[in-house]
Amino acid sequence: GERPYRCTVCSKAFPQKSDLTRHLRTHSGERPYQCTVCSKAFTQKGSLKNHLRIHTGERPYRCTVCSKAFPQKSNLTVHLSTHTGQRPFQCDQCPKAFTLKGNLTVHLRTHTGKRPFQCTVYPKAYTSSSGLQYHRHHAHPPPLPSHQQPNQSQ
């Protein structure tokens, strides 16, 4: 299908403008959907819905081999590879293979040196959005609410 909307950061293309808008949040760090239980924020409404299962304990996806249940379909898909041993996504530059296409995509950046996830504060860039999120959490923690600030009046 046609993919006329292209990311200017990493060149990934999308069929709809809304898909590109959602994707751009992986680079900007914008997370407009916030959990009312723990305040964790997400780039997509569906991710928040999946996250809420942590709090509710809901596990609607069940393995037909061992009956283990999972909160997200993707967790079950990855789990199924433990029964089959399949790693269908093979790197064409080294012997590594992966259960998920996204893991291969991130791995390929070790060969190309591409780091499309840029910190907006420091001149640092990362091969994965999770690498950037880890950096943000540790290098730029959110400020404490005013009622939790250390007492400065002494």
Side-chain angles (χ1 to χ4, degrees):
E2 190 181 347
R3 293 173 168 256
Y5 301 96
R6 187 167 298 278
C7 177
T8 57
V9 179
C10 70
S11 301
K12 192 170 183 178
F14 300 90
Q16 296 179 9
K17 189 174 182 181
S18 60
D19 296 328
L20 174 59
T21 300
R22 191 169 28 249
H23 165 78
L24 286 170
R25 292 181 189 138
T26 66
H27 299 299
S28 71
E30 181 192 7
R31 294 172 168 257
Y33 303 99
Q34 191 166 33
C35 177
T36 57
V37 178
C38 70
S39 300
K40 188 171 182 178
F42 299 88
T43 59
Q44 297 181 37
K45 190 185 286 189
S47 299
L48 172 58
K49 182 181 174 190
N50 286 336
H51 164 79
L52 286 170
R53 291 185 180 134
I54 290 170
H55 303 299
T56 65
E58 182 188 8
R59 292 174 167 258
Y61 303 99
R62 189 169 297 278
C63 177
T64 56
V65 178
C66 70
S67 298
K68 188 170 182 177
F70 299 90
Q72 297 178 26
K73 188 175 184 179
S74 60
N75 300 144
L76 173 59
T77 302
V78 172
H79 165 78
L80 286 170
S81 70
T82 65
H83 297 301
T84 65
Q86 285 184 315
R87 290 176 170 261
F89 301 100
Q90 175 71 51
C91 178
D92 61 5
Q93 298 184 42
C94 77
K96 288 196 170 188
F98 302 87
T99 56
L100 298 172
K101 184 179 180 185
N103 290 351
L104 172 59
T105 301
V106 171
H107 165 77
L108 286 171
R109 294 179 187 136
T110 65
H111 298 298
T112 65
K114 197 168 187 182
R115 295 174 166 260
F117 300 93
Q118 178 73 46
C119 175
T120 55
V121 178
Y122 295 128
K124 291 187 67 100
Y126 299 87
T127 58
S128 67
S129 61
S130 61
L132 176 57
Q133 293 305 327
Y134 180 88
H135 163 77
R136 276 200 189 110
H137 180 76
H138 290 88
H140 316 292
L144 289 171
S146 59
H147 68 280
Q148 292 181 348
Q149 292 288 335
N151 188 352
Q152 302 293 325
S153 58
Q154 289 190 351

